[in-house]
């Protein structure tokens, strides 16, 4: 998904400098001409005329206008796809080529020699990949214009990097857990109450309000005939259909990477490292797309922000709204602990996506569970690189890891189902969600 709006950046240069292809003939021709004059050798002086005249002729053909570079990057792109942005080069008369260097944070810069037509434009497509979501600075372009014969070159023209909102990618999810109690009168799931649906509930005696088309004539003929006459009618009652309400709760207070040394904030996370917030955004976007795709209602709550949550809704536009809010979720200072858990609709499935490095998310998840909701805790901590940890850092990580495992154990004992969302999103999260979906949703334990 990408927006139609674009973030345009433009830069120009009109100063052109001589290169070795131009200065070498001029210097060589001048030296030979001076040497011939000093030695009174007209034949030697004549040898310097040709390179000198050639250099002057090349200088006279130098570009006279400005080289313009414009970057038209979309204001938002989707991760895990190839991110693209067009760039337009407008060459003045005299420019025949340009050396282009494209780079983005976390990727290796690439250089290309691009042929240009004097007085015309040339459009290039910049491509990059990004494992990081949210607001990122991408697509930096450095361009040097080259004159005829590469005798002259312009100053370096730099555009970008452009600030682009990278939306989280989505992975397909087939089987999903449902709330204990389904709401509504229509939807994709079979509820336990009697109503209009497709799954058979039972066969019962005909009562006032039953529809005639639901009469089971075979059962009526077998059970309702007394003394050769039809006395009772039986109807087939079905389970009503309903929709599920899912509330995604993302914990944007933590944004930690696989390097434990960056957890305390002393060092920045590398731009090519996937953080816990990136994993949480992808997991939440995948769950939202899957539930909305089957006709359910999805809402979004952020534990790190006090702003208004996204109320449960359905449809394609609502999915776009949820995904964009996920991409904009970033840590903002240190929020105060919540006195009570945010209010969620009755009978909703609450999905808490957190690293569980503190007690806040654990306490709120247990509060929702005690209120009767089915609560799913999704662990989004990325795999830790602990091979090069020092002694003190390794000891600190072990203590933090032990306390985190204690919190996850407390969640399991409290009736909260815990799912590990692996970085690849396939082996862990998808299989565990499918296993939870096969459990019959009934009354809360």
């Amino acid at each position: 998904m990408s927006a139609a709006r674009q973030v345009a950046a433009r830069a120009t240069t009109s100063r052109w400098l001589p290169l070795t292809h131009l200065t070498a003939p001029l210097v060589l021709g001048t030296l030979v001409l001076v040497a011939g004059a000093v030695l009174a050798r007209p034949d030697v002086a004549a040898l310097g005329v040709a390179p000198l005249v050639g250099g002057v002729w090349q200088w006279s053909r130098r570009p006279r206008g400005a080289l313009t570079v414009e970057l038209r990057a979309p204001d938002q792109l989707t991760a895990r796809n190839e991110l693209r942005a067009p760039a337009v080069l407008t060459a003045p008369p005299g420019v025949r080529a340009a050396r282009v260097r494209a780079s983005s944070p976390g990727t290796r810069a690439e250089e290309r020699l691009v042929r240009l037509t004097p007085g015309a434009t040339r459009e290039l497509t910049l491509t990059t990949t990004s494992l990081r979501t949210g607001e990122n600075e991408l697509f930096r372009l450095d361009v040097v214009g080259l004159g005829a014969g590469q005798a002259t070159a312009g100053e370096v023209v730099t555009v970008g990097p452009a600030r682009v909102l990278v939306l989280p990618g989505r992975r397909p999810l087939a089987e999903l857990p449902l709330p204990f109690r389904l709401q509504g009168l229509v939807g994709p799931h079979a509820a336990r109450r009697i109503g209009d649906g497709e799954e058979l509930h039972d066969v019962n005696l005909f009562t006032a309000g039953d529809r005639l088309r639901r009469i089971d004539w075979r059962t009526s003929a077998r059970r309702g005939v007394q003394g050769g006459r039809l006395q009772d009618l039986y109807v087939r009652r079905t389970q009503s259909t309903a929709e599920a309400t899912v509330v995604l709760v993302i914990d944007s207070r933590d944004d930690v990477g696989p390097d434990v040394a960056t957890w305390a904030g002393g060092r920045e996370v590398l731009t090519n490292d996937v953080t816990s917030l990136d994993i949480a955004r992808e997991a939440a976007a995948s769950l939202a797309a899957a539930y909305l795709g089957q006709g359910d209602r999805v809402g979004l709550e952020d534990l790190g922000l006090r702003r208004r949550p996204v109320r449960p809704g359905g449809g394609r536009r609502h999915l776009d709204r949820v995904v964009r809010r996920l991409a904009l979720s970033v840590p903002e200072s240190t929020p105060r602990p919540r006195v009570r858990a945010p209010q969620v609709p009755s009978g909703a499935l609450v999905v808490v996506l957190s690293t569980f490095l503190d007690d806040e998310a654990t306490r709120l998840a247990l509060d929702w569970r005690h209120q009767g909701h089915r609560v799913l805790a999704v662990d989004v901590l990325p795999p830790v690189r602990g091979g090069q940890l020092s002694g003190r850092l390794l000891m600190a990580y072990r203590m933090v890891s032990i306390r985190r495992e204690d919190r996850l154990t407390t969640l399991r004992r409290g009736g909260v189902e815990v799912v590990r969302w692996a970085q690849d999103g396939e082996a862990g999260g998808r299989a565990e969600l499918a296993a939870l979906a096969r459990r019959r949703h009934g009354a809360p334990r």
Side-chain angles (χ1 to χ4, degrees):
M1 178 178 63
S2 61
R5 293 177 298 173
Q6 293 180 336
V7 181
R10 179 189 295 243
T12 61
T13 182
S14 58
R15 184 180 178 185
W16 299 90
L17 304 174
L19 296 179
T20 306
H21 291 75
L22 178 60
T23 56
L26 290 175
V27 173
L28 179 61
T30 302
L31 292 177
V32 173
L33 189 61
V34 171
V38 171
L39 298 175
R41 294 283 303 272
D43 54 339
V44 175
L47 295 176
V49 174
L52 186 60
V53 172
V56 173
W57 181 70
Q58 288 282 0
W59 178 248
S60 65
R61 297 177 59 197
R62 68 184 183 276
R64 300 291 182 177
L67 175 65
T68 303
V69 181
E70 183 179 6
L71 178 62
R72 302 173 182 175
D75 65 343
Q76 64 182 39
L77 295 168
T78 303
R80 296 197 176 275
N81 296 331
E82 196 173 48
L83 309 182
R84 295 174 175 268
V88 178
L89 280 62
T90 303
V95 174
R96 302 298 180 87
R99 184 170 294 277
V100 179
R101 183 177 186 268
S103 60
S104 289
T107 60
R108 180 180 300 178
E110 293 190 7
E111 293 187 9
R112 294 290 187 272
L113 184 63
V114 179
R115 179 180 297 178
L116 300 177
T117 302
T121 60
R122 173 74 182 273
E123 181 173 334
L124 307 176
T125 301
L126 307 182
T127 60
T128 185
T129 57
S130 176
L131 298 177
R132 301 291 298 274
T133 55
E135 290 188 342
N136 291 283
E137 293 185 346
L138 305 174
F139 306 115
R140 171 172 173 165
L141 194 63
D142 301 309
V143 181
V144 176
L146 301 176
Q150 298 189 12
T152 54
E155 294 181 325
V156 179
V157 182
T158 301
V159 292
R163 182 170 290 274
V164 179
L165 181 64
V166 181
L167 304 178
R170 302 190 290 269
R171 296 185 180 274
L173 300 175
E175 299 179 88
L176 298 170
L178 297 175
F180 292 129
R181 294 183 297 272
L182 297 173
Q183 306 293 329
L185 298 177
V186 294
H189 312 294
R192 303 188 66 180
R193 60 181 178 272
I194 299 174
D196 291 334
E198 296 181 357
E199 293 192 17
L200 178 65
H201 183 271
D202 60 6
V203 178
N204 198 23
L205 285 172
F206 182 88
T207 59
D210 289 337
R211 296 186 179 183
L212 297 178
R213 63 184 179 88
R214 296 211 177 263
I215 296 177
D216 190 337
W217 293 105
R218 290 186 178 180
T219 305
S220 300
R222 186 172 61 254
R223 297 183 182 179
V225 175
Q226 297 179 4
R229 298 182 60 181
L230 183 63
Q231 300 292 336
D232 298 318
L233 293 177
Y234 288 83
V235 294
R236 297 171 60 88
R237 298 193 302 180
T238 57
Q239 295 179 355
S240 63
T241 57
E243 62 186 5
T245 301
V246 182
V247 178
L248 303 175
V249 182
I250 187 172
D251 189 358
S252 65
R253 298 173 304 138
D254 292 330
D255 190 14
V256 297
D259 189 358
V260 180
T262 63
W263 288 12
R267 292 167 49 186
E268 293 185 358
V269 182
L270 299 179
T271 55
N272 55 350
D273 280 344
V274 178
T275 66
S276 61
L277 195 52
D278 295 325
I279 299 176
R281 292 189 187 115
E282 181 191 80
S286 302
L287 290 169
Y291 279 110
L292 290 174
Q294 64 184 15
D296 296 321
R297 298 169 60 84
V298 175
L300 178 64
E301 178 75 47
D302 192 343
L303 297 182
L305 303 176
R306 295 288 182 173
R307 66 182 61 172
R308 187 175 182 180
V310 178
R311 297 184 179 275
R316 178 67 182 179
R317 293 176 63 89
H318 186 71
L319 175 60
D320 296 342
R321 188 181 304 113
V322 170
V323 173
R324 182 173 178 83
R325 179 67 72 86
L326 286 171
L328 293 175
S329 298
V330 293
E332 295 185 3
S333 66
T334 303
R336 293 179 298 176
R338 295 176 182 258
V339 179
R340 61 179 61 91
Q343 186 176 2
V344 298
S346 176
L349 169 66
V350 183
V351 183
V352 183
L353 302 104
S354 175
T355 58
F356 299 100
L357 291 174
D358 60 9
D359 297 329
E360 180 78 4
T362 304
R363 178 178 61 84
L364 297 178
L366 292 175
D367 288 346
W368 280 312
R369 184 64 186 87
H370 295 158
Q371 294 173 10
H373 300 281
R374 186 178 187 181
V375 182
L376 185 65
V378 180
D379 181 11
V380 296
L381 186 69
V384 175
R385 293 198 299 261
Q388 299 179 351
L389 296 180
S390 60
R392 292 185 177 181
L393 196 59
L394 181 60
M395 181 62 66
Y397 167 68
R398 288 178 176 175
M399 295 177 62
V400 171
S401 180
I402 291 174
R403 297 191 61 183
R404 197 180 82 93
E405 291 299 329
D406 290 342
R407 296 187 188 99
L408 296 178
T409 302
T410 302
L411 289 174
R412 295 187 181 96
R413 291 176 178 176
V416 177
E417 297 157 312
V418 180
V419 173
R420 169 74 174 171
W421 189 275
Q423 184 174 346
D424 57 3
E426 297 289 343
R430 187 172 181 178
E432 294 182 21
L433 287 174
L436 294 178
R438 300 186 187 102
R439 296 183 182 177
R440 182 177 179 85
H441 59 281
R445 292 176 294 177

